[in-house]
Amino acid sequence: MTELKLHPLRINADRLNQRIEQLAQIGALQGGGVCRLALSDEDRAGRDLVCGWMDELGLDVSIDKIGNVVGLRRGELSGPPVMTGSHIDTVATGGPYDGNLGVLAGLEVVQCLNEAGITTRHPLAVAFFTNEEGARFAPDMMGSGVHQGSMDLDAMLAVTGIDGKTVGAELDRIGYSGDAATGDYRARNYVELHIEQGPVLEQCDLQVGAVNGVQGISWTEFTIRGQSNHAGTTPMEFRHDPGYVAARISVKARRLAGKIGQGQVATVGQIKLNPNLVNVIPREAIITVDLRNMDEALLQQAEHQLSRFVEQVASEEGVTINARKLARFEPVHFDPAMTQRVQQFAELFDYSCQQMPSGAGHDAQMFAPNCPTTMIFVPSQGGISHNIREYTSPQQIERGANVLLQTLLYCANQEQN
Ligand code: HGY
Ligand code: MN
Ligand code: MN
């Protein structure tokens, strides 16, 4: 591994934290937190603000056919850029850092280079990708998946969200349906700064995480249909109750994770009953199950055991169940040399740092098959995220952004073409 040394340039932490606070005003929730669902009016306003900053920084801004926005900073050479970025859409009860930090830290690096009059050998690009969260339109990492060619543009534009609108129609409505082609954009390297969103760094008293991969993700929506009936007059042996089946699936998912162990997690995030009335046995229940594991074989085992259970409980209760896969990503391993570089720069700063996988999905995982990719984590207070109490301190942000600056600068000045 080549000996690395720190470049004297440092980020302006106050400016970065001010931009984070300013962007967080868009979609701000009463009592804290942010709701900026993909392709909503709030997302449009956030996009307008960040594109304005990209223009001010002299970046060449391009928008592609699924609304990904890339700000390009020219280098001495042309060719694939060293890329950074993340997303600015949030879940409905999000915080100010998830995704936003990675985009704004990238802009901060650009502003530092501009102020220092530095032109890097290779171009640099800062991007935000459409619908990373997948909360309104599944799957998640949709924009970066289309950008890097692992998801089909037309199929994604046709996706209908939880509110019945399609991605394509909402993209047109907010004015971010661009002309740039998708699918074959290649970066030289991709490095993403992100909050950990989990408890590991804080519990291990570490300042920075050098991320070596992302666990596999499996999202399934089960639509269960039975016999709606009167809650009082229907004897128990005559019932075909989707609500009861949904509850059993929820308990099974939790028990499955406990039985498999080895990092297996399972989450039921949505249960919708129809007609959802106190004295009516539901006609229909819709439940989502999110399974994740760093080990693909274990993830498949969990999926298999769950679907077997679903079949069994459906026949016992005499209901029909339709399963729809909302997202499926295999575990991803990042480039060891890139992750090692992040760790080395962190240690050159005397930041405590260890290599770790990511529990959350990220845009970076879409780049990993196509270019040397890694991520930098900073701690989440209490391991909390996808929650209005999400918090990472300005000092922790400064550390992560400085490691990002060093890593980007190193990659963008590499000799070999
Ligand atoms: O679900 C995830 O892991 C990411 O936040 N989209
Ligand atoms: Mn994120
Ligand atoms: Mn998220």
Side-chain angles (χ1 to χ4, degrees):
M1 194 77 202
T2 40
E3 199 45 40
L4 301 181
K5 51 185 193 311
L6 289 178
H7 188 284
L9 204 54
R10 299 291 181 271
I11 64 114
N12 178 328
D14 290 345
R15 180 168 61 198
L16 172 53
N17 281 293
Q18 270 154 25
R19 282 207 172 104
I20 291 171
E21 279 165 29
Q22 193 173 342
L23 180 53
Q25 295 315 306
I26 298 178
L29 291 166
Q30 287 290 343
V34 182
C35 175
R36 197 181 311 128
L37 287 170
L39 307 182
S40 61
D41 290 340
E42 295 75 18
D43 188 20
R44 167 174 40 196
R47 287 166 169 262
D48 292 348
L49 179 65
V50 177
C51 287
W53 284 331
M54 286 182 170
D55 287 337
E56 285 167 19
L57 292 171
L59 297 178
D60 294 338
V61 181
S62 68
I63 303 174
D64 74 13
K65 292 185 171 138
I66 196 155
N68 297 313
V69 177
V70 179
L72 185 71
R73 185 177 194 268
R74 295 189 188 289
E76 288 157 7
L77 305 176
S78 56
V82 172
M83 208 158 182
T84 189
S86 192
H87 59 96
I88 64 167
D89 65 301
T90 74
V91 294
T93 51
Y97 310 100
D98 179 356
N100 303 300
L101 169 61
V103 177
L104 300 182
L107 295 185
E108 174 55 30
V109 169
V110 165
Q111 186 151 1
C112 291
L113 295 174
N114 289 355
E115 290 169 347
I118 293 174
T119 301
T120 52
R121 187 169 160 69
H122 304 289
L124 205 55
V126 183
F128 61 83
F129 300 101
T130 296
N131 186 35
E132 186 279 344
E133 291 295 359
R136 183 184 179 197
F137 304 100
D140 50 351
M141 285 74 78
M142 182 186 278
S144 45
V146 170
H147 187 265
Q148 287 297 299
S150 58
M151 291 184 198
D152 176 74
L153 171 66
D154 293 332
M156 291 303 114
L157 292 173
V159 164
T160 302
I162 55 175
D163 51 13
K165 307 266 178 53
T166 65
V167 168
E170 286 294 277
L171 209 48
D172 289 341
R173 187 184 67 82
I174 67 167
Y176 273 90
S177 179
D179 302 327
T182 59
D184 55 2
Y185 192 111
R186 289 294 169 263
R188 182 183 168 79
N189 304 89
Y190 183 86
V191 193
E192 179 171 349
L193 172 61
H194 204 287
I195 52 172
E196 179 205 335
Q197 303 183 282
V200 173
L201 290 175
E202 187 174 74
Q203 283 176 356
C204 301
D205 199 17
L206 292 162
Q207 293 167 318
V208 172
V211 187
N212 51 25
V214 181
Q215 66 177 341
I217 301 175
S218 161
W219 290 358
T220 308
E221 175 193 76
F222 296 102
T223 301
I224 310 159
R225 291 200 176 89
Q227 168 83 53
S228 191
N229 214 325
H230 193 295
T233 59
T234 313
M236 295 314 286
E237 64 275 21
F238 291 166
R239 294 185 182 214
H240 306 288
D241 181 349
Y244 167 66
V245 170
R248 287 194 62 187
I249 290 173
S250 183
V251 170
K252 176 69 179 178
R254 168 62 74 98
R255 288 191 177 144
L256 202 55
K259 214 167 103 218
I260 293 175
Q262 303 166 85
Q264 181 62 46
V265 290
T267 310
V268 168
Q270 272 181 325
I271 293 188
K272 286 185 276 188
L273 297 180
N274 187 342
N276 204 31
L277 297 169
V278 61
N279 55 356
V280 179
I281 301 169
R283 170 175 58 248
E284 179 186 78
I286 298 176
I287 179 172
T288 59
V289 181
D290 175 326
L291 299 171
R292 306 199 193 194
N293 200 308
M294 199 61 207
D295 179 313
E296 174 64 13
L298 289 176
L299 183 55
Q300 287 185 20
Q301 185 187 325
E303 288 177 312
H304 180 66
Q305 288 180 13
L306 182 70
S307 66
R308 269 228 322 268
F309 175 79
V310 166
E311 280 160 26
Q312 173 215 321
V313 73
S315 76
E316 282 169 10
E317 185 65 15
V319 297
T320 60
I321 300 190
N322 176 46
R324 184 162 74 100
K325 195 56 94 185
L326 298 179
R328 183 59 165 96
F329 300 103
E330 294 200 1
V332 164
H333 299 280
F334 289 145
D335 178 77
M338 288 290 285
T339 304
Q340 184 59 35
R341 246 168 236 140
V342 165
Q343 183 161 15
Q344 276 185 288
F345 280 123
E347 287 165 359
L348 284 170
F349 277 118
D350 281 335
Y351 299 155
S352 51
C353 174
Q354 80 174 27
Q355 295 201 15
M356 60 188 289
S358 171
H362 297 288
D363 294 311
Q365 70 190 87
M366 296 297 139
F367 282 79
N370 301 331
C371 71
T373 296
T374 192
M375 292 183 74
I376 303 160
F377 272 174
V378 286
S380 292
Q381 191 177 73
I384 297 282
S385 183
H386 284 190
N387 179 313
I388 64 168
R389 289 182 24 244
E390 180 183 278
Y391 180 74
T392 297
S393 75
Q395 297 74 19
Q396 290 165 330
I397 284 169
E398 181 173 12
R399 292 191 199 104
N402 270 321
V403 173
L404 177 71
L405 183 152
Q406 298 292 329
T407 312
L408 291 175
L409 206 45
Y410 174 86
C411 293
N413 283 328
Q414 272 186 306
E415 278 311 309
Q416 81 270 23
N417 289 341

